[in-house]
Amino acid sequence: MNFHVYKDFILESVTVYTDRPGKRKIELINGNKEIVDSVEVDLNIGKNIVKLDFHCEAKAGSYNLATNAEVNKSQ
């Protein structure tokens, strides 16, 4: 998910769905392709609400919220 930040805020949580349970690493990546924050979670089949508490600063401009491909492939 790509998004722009115009005012500092904390991304408290995200809802994700999966048909394959297991470990995932969710990463917050800034516009410079740097990982700003990350969290590892163990997902269950179906709906999962994941607590993040990621700080998103307006000065960074854009962000990408994604899962780490290497962790996904290993699962």
Side-chain angles (χ1 to χ4, degrees):
M1 176 176 69
N2 295 309
F3 60 97
H4 293 279
V5 176
Y6 302 101
K7 183 178 179 182
D8 295 357
F9 74 96
I10 296 174
L11 181 58
E12 294 178 358
S13 64
V14 65
T15 301
V16 296
Y17 297 85
T18 186
D19 57 353
R20 295 182 183 206
K23 183 174 76 168
R24 303 291 191 284
K25 186 174 187 180
I26 300 175
E27 298 175 330
L28 180 66
I29 304 166
N30 67 17
N32 294 326
K33 308 289 185 207
E34 301 165 328
I35 298 171
V36 177
D37 209 343
S38 67
V39 64
E40 286 194 17
V41 294
D42 195 20
L43 299 180
N44 298 311
I45 293 175
K47 180 179 177 180
N48 296 263
I49 299 173
V50 179
K51 185 161 178 61
L52 300 175
D53 287 331
F54 290 168
H55 294 264
C56 300
E57 297 180 344
K59 68 180 180 182
S62 63
Y63 287 93
N64 184 351
L65 187 65
T67 56
N68 181 288
E70 291 179 22
V71 173
N72 285 352
K73 289 178 186 176
S74 72
Q75 295 298 307

